[in-house]
Amino acid sequence: MAFAGDSSRRKFFKRAGVAAGSALLTANQIWAAEHGENLPPNIPSWMQQTGTGVGAAPYGSPSEYEKDAIRRTVPWLTATPISSVSFSPLQSLQGIITPSSLHFERHHSGIPNIDPEEHRLMIHGLCGNPLVLTMDDLVRFPSVSEIRFIECPANGGMEWRGPQMEALQFTHGMISCSEWTGVRLSTLLAEVGVDPKAKWVLAEGADGAAMARSIPLDKALNDVIVAYAQNGERIRPEQGYPLRLVNPGWEGNTSIKWLRRLELGEKPWHLREETSKYTDLMPDGRARRFTWVQETNSVVTSVCPENSLKSRGYHELEGVAWSGRGKIKQVDISFDGGFSWKEAKLKGLVLDKALTRFSLDWSWDGSPALIQSRAIDDTGYVQPTLAQLREVRGVNSIYHKNSIHTWQVLATGEVKNVQNT
Ligand SMILES: Nc1nc2c(c(=O)[nH]1)N[C@H]1C(S)=C(S)[C@@H](COP(=O)(O)O)O[C@H]1N2
Ligand SMILES: [Mo]
């Protein structure tokens, strides 16, 4: 077993150009130089004074040493930041909750600055009692709090034809998971009295894009939340302040942010976001539409291009899995590109339509490996291989690429994004 001190000592002597054991340095000087003034048994500088008092940060922020855990954009994807995406740093996150500050963002016309006092939710169309609700009205309804993921169906979409993004943040960072609090859409629909002829609900946002999607009434009455809070506080502007739809397990695009209008109708509206976008071109030239559910998916996060292996021996391999259909039932890990599999352990909470963390004890012997994870949900759906997915879908799609992902571990410990079909 090599101790961290051994290599830092070597590094110090190299930098200082001093041979180990040089008589010019006293034992104490060597100790301090080797270990740093703040390391045991010294009293670190931050113990030799008082710290910052309460109230200095009325709204807290992360430690200044955690500058790497940030949302990132891909320059060539971001022709203009008002219609683009920022990715969540999955490589730096733990557990299943995404800190609100690190939730991925996807805006079609920027983030509107909405005064909640002047914001209204209008519910109209085929119903007996159309309503215009204030935020105060909405908060008076009985509420629910549920942990759900939101994923853009374009997650992974850059990789249909080959590996392109040399970072987990960009191959999978369009998923995040929060505790959402709000009113069930079914509660609000009961209040307006849905006409039996109504089969669809249109949800429209109050952004410059007036982004809107048609949602079948069955889903609207099932588990959809009209949410005003995220992880305990009011929803962040990026996520739809003061009100958004959370459409569990479905394409993130249907979780309309800055929600201002719900209309009940007989037929879908066939808007831009469900015709020219969020549809997939099949090999025969026809397009799939209304591909609502985010299929079972998973990825290893503790070993990835951003998290290279720094030493041999024990590693707790971790990752996240999710299914828009329900709960994750099982995750298997392969180290040989899918020839053999070991069952991982599901860690912590295993919830419906939420990120689920998995882990596996692993001892890295320094040899190259092809690491994959394969998730199975409680409907029995098994995450497909890339070859299986391409066989059905071809390579002309943007959306719904949920195939098994491969990380190549090199003997140096570096990790590459590769495709192993
Ligand atoms: N009003 C409105 N709602 C919207 C969008 C938008 O641009 N405007 N983007 C959609 C898309 S494409 C996705 S993937 C999710 C992203 O949610 P997030 O930005 O909170 O991660 O919001 C959806 N809701
Ligand atoms: Mo999206």
Side-chain angles (χ1 to χ4, degrees), residues 104 106 108 151-154 174 252-253 278 399:
F104 84 98
R106 172 76 178 99
H108 287 72
E151 181 184 24
C152 178
M174 278 194 259
N253 188 256
Y278 299 95
Y399 308 103

Side-chain angles (χ1 to χ4, degrees), residues 310-329:
K310 306 222 167 29
S311 59
R312 295 180 186 202
Y314 177 79
H315 287 85
E316 183 182 17
L317 198 80
E318 282 201 28
V320 284
W322 62 97
S323 165
R325 289 195 171 80
K327 286 191 177 69
I328 290 298
K329 196 178 73 186

